[in-house]
């Protein structure tokens, strides 16, 4: 039998050799790297690993923003007294005092985190007429409760079981099995504070005689729930890895983190070199995700041709999947850098759930400037069954813009909001209010940028078929 070799024959064309060979020096964006006949010289070995660790750190940041956001949210809520037996809420509404990703000023929020490893199976009694969502600690969707959930807004009892739970499951509950012990519970009661205060969270073991529910009002508390943009980002992620089941994170992201030294059951103690690289990676990645969010290059981010209004779901998939089934990593990073998800934000039926559009640009493509005045025209027939809102945010924190207005919003629930004679609603922005239009005005801050989020609760068909669309933000 003849022997077969893959080695190039003496007659192999030079261009083929060039395509598979390594030159003695290669110029890269990270500097020159040198070789001896394809073998890396000592400085090249060092530079290669520094580069690899930096690139992996950047990718790990972008891919793990959802988890870091949950870790920061839980830490922030704990700082104001919220634990797995306590619901933090906003009465009557959230102000701009808390640093919370794209919170709104219109609905009454309730928040807590489950601790299924400590409390065991846990019951949540969801309020009626609510839009509630539960995400696990990697911020993957677990379930909706309320209007978009199986109780269809009538209120209901949900039983959350710990990962790997094998015990008996009683009847009478909507049963949910998160992949992590910790899960973020967001309660949005459309009926206001009185409705939200009917919510209950307690261990299943106490179901026969539930304890009195504890509540903490954090509407005006100054605390931070936003993840870090420096080395401590990776410490936030390590906190999740160490406390959650090893199989609760997909192998790809777990592999990225393991390459950086973040492994379940092992202390995360990077040396000075690695700490410096990861600090650079976090700062670089946080800059990249801001470019992705505010100047996306994927045309799928834009609602309308020639418009600046954007959606964080370019494929209209809450799992950030393309029609071909590929994960849209940029889309996922953008969304979780600014908010938290529920399928109701993407796949809501007409008249249910909510829809959102955002922009940080005026009609000329310039960034919105807190020293200038602008108008936004919402044509008559705003497609919202329940209500609509225009909220203003700080691009640094992605939280409500802090001014002497505690509620930086114009919305259909607000007092003094006036429509024009033709039925359009004009929203004004700027450092001073236009005379006679104070109810339609949001104050901005000279020297600061800002961005706006249009919210539609109970979106109607004219939103989906785009027969209605908002105007662009026009400089005055």
């Amino acid at each position: 039998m003849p022997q077969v070799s893959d080695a190039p024959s003496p007659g192999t064309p030079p261009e083929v050799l060039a395509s598979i060979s390594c030159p003695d020096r290669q110029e890269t964006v990270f500097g020159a790297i040198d070789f001896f006949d394809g073998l890396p010289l000592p400085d090249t070995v060092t530079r290669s690993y520094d580069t690899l660790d930096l690139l992996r750190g950047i990718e790990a940041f972008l891919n793990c923003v959802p988890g870091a956001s949950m870790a920061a949210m839980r830490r922030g809520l704990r700082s104001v007294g919220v634990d797995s037996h306590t619901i933090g809420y906003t009465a009557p509404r959230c102000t701009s005092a808390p640093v919370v990703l794209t919170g709104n000023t219109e609905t009454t929020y309730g928040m807590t985190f489950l601790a299924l490893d400590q409390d065991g199976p846990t019951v949540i009694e969801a309020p009626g007429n609510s839009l509630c969502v539960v995400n696990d600690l990697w911020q993957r969707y677990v379930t909706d409760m309320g209007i978009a959930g199986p109780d269809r807004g009538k209120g209901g009892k949900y039983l959350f079981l710990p990962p790997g739970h094998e015990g008996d499951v009683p009847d009478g509950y909507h049963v949910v099995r998160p992949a992590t012990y910790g899960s973020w519970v967001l309660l949005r009661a459309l009926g206001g504070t009185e409705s939200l205060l009917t919510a209950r969270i307690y261990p299943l073991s106490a179901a026969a005689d539930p304890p009195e529910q504890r509540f903490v009002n954090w509407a005006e508390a100054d605390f931070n729930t936003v993840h870090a943009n420096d080395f401590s980002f990776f410490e936030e992620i390590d906190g999740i890895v160490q406390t959650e089941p090893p199989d609760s994170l997909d192998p790809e992201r777990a592999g990225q983190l393991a390459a950086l030294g973040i492994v379940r059951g092992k202390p995360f103690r990077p040396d000075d070199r690695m700490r410096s690289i990861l600090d650079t990676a976090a700062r670089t990645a946080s800059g990249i995700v801001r470019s992705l969010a505010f100047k996306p290059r994927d045309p799928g981010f834009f609602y309308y041709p020639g418009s600046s209004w954007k959606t964080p779901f370019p494929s209209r998939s809450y799992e950030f999947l393309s029609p071909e089934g590929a994960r849209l990593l940029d889309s996922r990073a953008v969304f979780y850098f600014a908010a938290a998800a529920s399928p109701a934000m993407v796949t809501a039926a007409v008249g249910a759930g909510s829809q959102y559009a955002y922009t940080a640009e005026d009609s000329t493509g310039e960034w919105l400037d807190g020293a200038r005045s602008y108008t936004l025209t919402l044509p008559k027939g705003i497609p919202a069954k329940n209500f609509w809102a225009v909220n203003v945010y700080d691009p640094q924190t992605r939280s409500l813009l802090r001014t002497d207005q505690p509620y930086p919003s114009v919305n259909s629930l607000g007092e003094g909001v006036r429509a024009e004679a033709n039925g359009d609603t004009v929203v004004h922005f700027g450092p001073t209010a236009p005379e006679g239009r104070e109810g339609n005005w949001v104050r901005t801050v000279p020297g600061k940028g800002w961005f706006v989020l249009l919210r539609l609760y109970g979106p109607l068909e004219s939103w989906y078929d785009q027969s209605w669309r908002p105007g662009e933000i026009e400089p005055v």
Side-chain angles (χ1 to χ4, degrees), residues 364-386:
T364 71
E366 295 295 320
W367 294 128
L368 298 172
D369 182 347
R372 301 185 65 185
S373 296
Y374 303 84
T375 61
L376 165 63
T377 298
L378 302 177
K380 66 179 180 179
I382 299 172
K385 176 182 177 182
N386 298 320

PDB file of all heavy atoms in Angstrom, residues 364-386:
ATOM      1  N   THR A 364     -30.695  65.827  13.550  1.00  0.00           N
ATOM      2  CA  THR A 364     -29.522  66.056  12.704  1.00  0.00           C
ATOM      3  C   THR A 364     -28.429  65.026  12.949  1.00  0.00           C
ATOM      4  O   THR A 364     -27.371  65.079  12.313  1.00  0.00           O
ATOM      5  CB  THR A 364     -28.944  67.466  12.944  1.00  0.00           C
ATOM      6  OG1 THR A 364     -28.320  67.514  14.241  1.00  0.00           O
ATOM      7  CG2 THR A 364     -30.025  68.528  12.860  1.00  0.00           C
ATOM      8  N   GLY A 365     -28.649  64.114  13.893  1.00  0.00           N
ATOM      9  CA  GLY A 365     -27.648  63.107  14.213  1.00  0.00           C
ATOM     10  C   GLY A 365     -26.690  63.511  15.303  1.00  0.00           C
ATOM     11  O   GLY A 365     -25.768  62.757  15.637  1.00  0.00           O
ATOM     12  N   GLU A 366     -26.884  64.709  15.889  1.00  0.00           N
ATOM     13  CA  GLU A 366     -26.013  65.160  16.975  1.00  0.00           C
ATOM     14  C   GLU A 366     -26.495  64.575  18.305  1.00  0.00           C
ATOM     15  O   GLU A 366     -27.684  64.311  18.494  1.00  0.00           O
ATOM     16  CB  GLU A 366     -26.009  66.689  17.052  1.00  0.00           C
ATOM     17  CG  GLU A 366     -25.406  67.367  15.839  1.00  0.00           C
ATOM     18  CD  GLU A 366     -23.925  67.064  15.689  1.00  0.00           C
ATOM     19  OE1 GLU A 366     -23.218  67.034  16.718  1.00  0.00           O
ATOM     20  OE2 GLU A 366     -23.490  66.839  14.542  1.00  0.00           O
ATOM     21  N   TRP A 367     -25.545  64.405  19.245  1.00  0.00           N
ATOM     22  CA  TRP A 367     -25.928  63.935  20.576  1.00  0.00           C
ATOM     23  C   TRP A 367     -26.825  64.956  21.264  1.00  0.00           C
ATOM     24  O   TRP A 367     -26.649  66.174  21.082  1.00  0.00           O
ATOM     25  CB  TRP A 367     -24.695  63.701  21.449  1.00  0.00           C
ATOM     26  CG  TRP A 367     -23.776  62.601  21.015  1.00  0.00           C
ATOM     27  CD1 TRP A 367     -22.429  62.695  20.826  1.00  0.00           C
ATOM     28  CD2 TRP A 367     -24.114  61.240  20.732  1.00  0.00           C
ATOM     29  NE1 TRP A 367     -21.908  61.486  20.434  1.00  0.00           N
ATOM     30  CE2 TRP A 367     -22.928  60.563  20.371  1.00  0.00           C
ATOM     31  CE3 TRP A 367     -25.307  60.521  20.743  1.00  0.00           C
ATOM     32  CZ2 TRP A 367     -22.891  59.214  20.031  1.00  0.00           C
ATOM     33  CZ3 TRP A 367     -25.288  59.169  20.401  1.00  0.00           C
ATOM     34  CH2 TRP A 367     -24.087  58.530  20.052  1.00  0.00           C
ATOM     35  N   LEU A 368     -27.757  64.488  22.035  1.00  0.00           N
ATOM     36  CA  LEU A 368     -28.632  65.372  22.806  1.00  0.00           C
ATOM     37  C   LEU A 368     -27.812  66.083  23.886  1.00  0.00           C
ATOM     38  O   LEU A 368     -27.086  65.454  24.648  1.00  0.00           O
ATOM     39  CB  LEU A 368     -29.772  64.566  23.422  1.00  0.00           C
ATOM     40  CG  LEU A 368     -30.693  63.885  22.394  1.00  0.00           C
ATOM     41  CD1 LEU A 368     -31.675  62.953  23.084  1.00  0.00           C
ATOM     42  CD2 LEU A 368     -31.428  64.919  21.556  1.00  0.00           C
ATOM     43  N   ASP A 369     -27.956  67.395  23.946  1.00  0.00           N
ATOM     44  CA  ASP A 369     -27.117  68.268  24.771  1.00  0.00           C
ATOM     45  C   ASP A 369     -27.989  68.906  25.842  1.00  0.00           C
ATOM     46  O   ASP A 369     -28.973  69.592  25.520  1.00  0.00           O
ATOM     47  CB  ASP A 369     -26.480  69.324  23.867  1.00  0.00           C
ATOM     48  CG  ASP A 369     -25.544  70.266  24.606  1.00  0.00           C
ATOM     49  OD1 ASP A 369     -25.559  70.277  25.858  1.00  0.00           O
ATOM     50  OD2 ASP A 369     -24.812  71.005  23.937  1.00  0.00           O
ATOM     51  N   GLY A 370     -27.609  68.716  27.094  1.00  0.00           N
ATOM     52  CA  GLY A 370     -28.411  69.240  28.197  1.00  0.00           C
ATOM     53  C   GLY A 370     -28.510  70.742  28.253  1.00  0.00           C
ATOM     54  O   GLY A 370     -29.372  71.283  28.963  1.00  0.00           O
ATOM     55  N   ALA A 371     -27.676  71.459  27.508  1.00  0.00           N
ATOM     56  CA  ALA A 371     -27.731  72.919  27.502  1.00  0.00           C
ATOM     57  C   ALA A 371     -28.703  73.455  26.457  1.00  0.00           C
ATOM     58  O   ALA A 371     -29.036  74.651  26.461  1.00  0.00           O
ATOM     59  CB  ALA A 371     -26.336  73.494  27.239  1.00  0.00           C
ATOM     60  N   ARG A 372     -29.170  72.602  25.556  1.00  0.00           N
ATOM     61  CA  ARG A 372     -30.034  73.041  24.464  1.00  0.00           C
ATOM     62  C   ARG A 372     -31.485  72.634  24.717  1.00  0.00           C
ATOM     63  O   ARG A 372     -31.778  71.792  25.566  1.00  0.00           O
ATOM     64  CB  ARG A 372     -29.560  72.451  23.145  1.00  0.00           C
ATOM     65  CG  ARG A 372     -28.126  72.826  22.773  1.00  0.00           C
ATOM     66  CD  ARG A 372     -27.767  72.299  21.394  1.00  0.00           C
ATOM     67  NE  ARG A 372     -28.574  72.949  20.355  1.00  0.00           N
ATOM     68  CZ  ARG A 372     -28.546  72.618  19.068  1.00  0.00           C
ATOM     69  NH1 ARG A 372     -27.757  71.623  18.668  1.00  0.00           N
ATOM     70  NH2 ARG A 372     -29.301  73.241  18.183  1.00  0.00           N
ATOM     71  N   SER A 373     -32.390  73.233  23.954  1.00  0.00           N
ATOM     72  CA  SER A 373     -33.815  72.910  24.046  1.00  0.00           C
ATOM     73  C   SER A 373     -34.240  72.117  22.812  1.00  0.00           C
ATOM     74  O   SER A 373     -33.746  72.357  21.703  1.00  0.00           O
ATOM     75  CB  SER A 373     -34.644  74.194  24.157  1.00  0.00           C
ATOM     76  OG  SER A 373     -34.348  74.877  25.356  1.00  0.00           O
ATOM     77  N   TYR A 374     -35.177  71.198  23.020  1.00  0.00           N
ATOM     78  CA  TYR A 374     -35.637  70.311  21.956  1.00  0.00           C
ATOM     79  C   TYR A 374     -37.130  70.058  22.107  1.00  0.00           C
ATOM     80  O   TYR A 374     -37.712  70.275  23.185  1.00  0.00           O
ATOM     81  CB  TYR A 374     -34.935  68.944  22.029  1.00  0.00           C
ATOM     82  CG  TYR A 374     -33.438  68.964  21.962  1.00  0.00           C
ATOM     83  CD1 TYR A 374     -32.676  69.184  23.119  1.00  0.00           C
ATOM     84  CD2 TYR A 374     -32.767  68.738  20.764  1.00  0.00           C
ATOM     85  CE1 TYR A 374     -31.293  69.177  23.075  1.00  0.00           C
ATOM     86  CE2 TYR A 374     -31.383  68.731  20.706  1.00  0.00           C
ATOM     87  CZ  TYR A 374     -30.648  68.954  21.872  1.00  0.00           C
ATOM     88  OH  TYR A 374     -29.275  68.937  21.819  1.00  0.00           O
ATOM     89  N   THR A 375     -37.720  69.556  21.032  1.00  0.00           N
ATOM     90  CA  THR A 375     -39.111  69.088  21.100  1.00  0.00           C
ATOM     91  C   THR A 375     -39.213  67.710  20.460  1.00  0.00           C
ATOM     92  O   THR A 375     -38.450  67.364  19.557  1.00  0.00           O
ATOM     93  CB  THR A 375     -40.083  70.032  20.364  1.00  0.00           C
ATOM     94  OG1 THR A 375     -39.716  70.103  18.981  1.00  0.00           O
ATOM     95  CG2 THR A 375     -40.076  71.425  20.980  1.00  0.00           C
ATOM     96  N   LEU A 376     -40.157  66.938  20.944  1.00  0.00           N
ATOM     97  CA  LEU A 376     -40.493  65.631  20.388  1.00  0.00           C
ATOM     98  C   LEU A 376     -41.998  65.609  20.161  1.00  0.00           C
ATOM     99  O   LEU A 376     -42.774  65.794  21.116  1.00  0.00           O
ATOM    100  CB  LEU A 376     -40.091  64.504  21.346  1.00  0.00           C
ATOM    101  CG  LEU A 376     -40.692  63.124  21.074  1.00  0.00           C
ATOM    102  CD1 LEU A 376     -40.229  62.584  19.721  1.00  0.00           C
ATOM    103  CD2 LEU A 376     -40.338  62.153  22.202  1.00  0.00           C
ATOM    104  N   THR A 377     -42.419  65.373  18.925  1.00  0.00           N
ATOM    105  CA  THR A 377     -43.843  65.314  18.613  1.00  0.00           C
ATOM    106  C   THR A 377     -44.298  63.858  18.560  1.00  0.00           C
ATOM    107  O   THR A 377     -43.740  63.048  17.812  1.00  0.00           O
ATOM    108  CB  THR A 377     -44.146  65.990  17.271  1.00  0.00           C
ATOM    109  OG1 THR A 377     -43.793  67.382  17.365  1.00  0.00           O
ATOM    110  CG2 THR A 377     -45.627  65.879  16.924  1.00  0.00           C
ATOM    111  N   LEU A 378     -45.303  63.549  19.385  1.00  0.00           N
ATOM    112  CA  LEU A 378     -45.959  62.246  19.348  1.00  0.00           C
ATOM    113  C   LEU A 378     -47.302  62.461  18.652  1.00  0.00           C
ATOM    114  O   LEU A 378     -48.204  63.099  19.211  1.00  0.00           O
ATOM    115  CB  LEU A 378     -46.166  61.708  20.769  1.00  0.00           C
ATOM    116  CG  LEU A 378     -44.895  61.555  21.617  1.00  0.00           C
ATOM    117  CD1 LEU A 378     -45.265  61.090  23.020  1.00  0.00           C
ATOM    118  CD2 LEU A 378     -43.915  60.601  20.969  1.00  0.00           C
ATOM    119  N   PRO A 379     -47.448  61.981  17.425  1.00  0.00           N
ATOM    120  CA  PRO A 379     -48.695  62.220  16.691  1.00  0.00           C
ATOM    121  C   PRO A 379     -49.904  61.678  17.459  1.00  0.00           C
ATOM    122  O   PRO A 379     -49.787  60.789  18.309  1.00  0.00           O
ATOM    123  CB  PRO A 379     -48.481  61.456  15.378  1.00  0.00           C
ATOM    124  CG  PRO A 379     -46.992  61.370  15.229  1.00  0.00           C
ATOM    125  CD  PRO A 379     -46.466  61.235  16.625  1.00  0.00           C
ATOM    126  N   LYS A 380     -51.067  62.235  17.142  1.00  0.00           N
ATOM    127  CA  LYS A 380     -52.291  61.797  17.817  1.00  0.00           C
ATOM    128  C   LYS A 380     -52.495  60.293  17.596  1.00  0.00           C
ATOM    129  O   LYS A 380     -51.991  59.703  16.641  1.00  0.00           O
ATOM    130  CB  LYS A 380     -53.496  62.580  17.294  1.00  0.00           C
ATOM    131  CG  LYS A 380     -53.826  62.319  15.833  1.00  0.00           C
ATOM    132  CD  LYS A 380     -55.043  63.131  15.416  1.00  0.00           C
ATOM    133  CE  LYS A 380     -55.383  62.885  13.946  1.00  0.00           C
ATOM    134  NZ  LYS A 380     -56.580  63.655  13.532  1.00  0.00           N
ATOM    135  N   GLY A 381     -53.231  59.706  18.505  1.00  0.00           N
ATOM    136  CA  GLY A 381     -53.455  58.261  18.431  1.00  0.00           C
ATOM    137  C   GLY A 381     -52.278  57.464  18.942  1.00  0.00           C
ATOM    138  O   GLY A 381     -51.952  56.400  18.393  1.00  0.00           O
ATOM    139  N   ILE A 382     -51.622  57.953  19.998  1.00  0.00           N
ATOM    140  CA  ILE A 382     -50.471  57.234  20.562  1.00  0.00           C
ATOM    141  C   ILE A 382     -50.913  55.809  20.908  1.00  0.00           C
ATOM    142  O   ILE A 382     -51.877  55.607  21.649  1.00  0.00           O
ATOM    143  CB  ILE A 382     -49.943  57.965  21.817  1.00  0.00           C
ATOM    144  CG1 ILE A 382     -49.477  59.375  21.431  1.00  0.00           C
ATOM    145  CG2 ILE A 382     -48.792  57.186  22.446  1.00  0.00           C
ATOM    146  CD1 ILE A 382     -49.109  60.248  22.610  1.00  0.00           C
ATOM    147  N   PRO A 383     -50.236  54.788  20.363  1.00  0.00           N
ATOM    148  CA  PRO A 383     -50.745  53.417  20.433  1.00  0.00           C
ATOM    149  C   PRO A 383     -50.440  52.714  21.760  1.00  0.00           C
ATOM    150  O   PRO A 383     -49.607  51.817  21.829  1.00  0.00           O
ATOM    151  CB  PRO A 383     -50.027  52.733  19.266  1.00  0.00           C
ATOM    152  CG  PRO A 383     -48.736  53.465  19.156  1.00  0.00           C
ATOM    153  CD  PRO A 383     -49.029  54.887  19.517  1.00  0.00           C
ATOM    154  N   ALA A 384     -51.136  53.117  22.801  1.00  0.00           N
ATOM    155  CA  ALA A 384     -50.943  52.509  24.117  1.00  0.00           C
ATOM    156  C   ALA A 384     -52.304  52.299  24.771  1.00  0.00           C
ATOM    157  O   ALA A 384     -53.018  53.269  25.047  1.00  0.00           O
ATOM    158  CB  ALA A 384     -50.066  53.395  24.994  1.00  0.00           C
ATOM    159  N   LYS A 385     -52.648  51.060  25.003  1.00  0.00           N
ATOM    160  CA  LYS A 385     -53.928  50.730  25.630  1.00  0.00           C
ATOM    161  C   LYS A 385     -53.963  51.183  27.080  1.00  0.00           C
ATOM    162  O   LYS A 385     -54.980  51.696  27.562  1.00  0.00           O
ATOM    163  CB  LYS A 385     -54.166  49.220  25.543  1.00  0.00           C
ATOM    164  CG  LYS A 385     -55.427  48.737  26.250  1.00  0.00           C
ATOM    165  CD  LYS A 385     -55.548  47.225  26.159  1.00  0.00           C
ATOM    166  CE  LYS A 385     -56.763  46.714  26.936  1.00  0.00           C
ATOM    167  NZ  LYS A 385     -56.839  45.233  26.883  1.00  0.00           N
ATOM    168  N   ASN A 386     -52.846  51.002  27.785  1.00  0.00           N
ATOM    169  CA  ASN A 386     -52.804  51.336  29.207  1.00  0.00           C
ATOM    170  C   ASN A 386     -52.292  52.766  29.433  1.00  0.00           C
ATOM    171  O   ASN A 386     -52.997  53.606  29.938  1.00  0.00           O
ATOM    172  CB  ASN A 386     -51.935  50.324  29.957  1.00  0.00           C
ATOM    173  CG  ASN A 386     -52.495  48.918  29.872  1.00  0.00           C
ATOM    174  OD1 ASN A 386     -53.697  48.709  29.961  1.00  0.00           O
ATOM    175  ND2 ASN A 386     -51.627  47.936  29.682  1.00  0.00           N
TER     176      ASN A 386
END
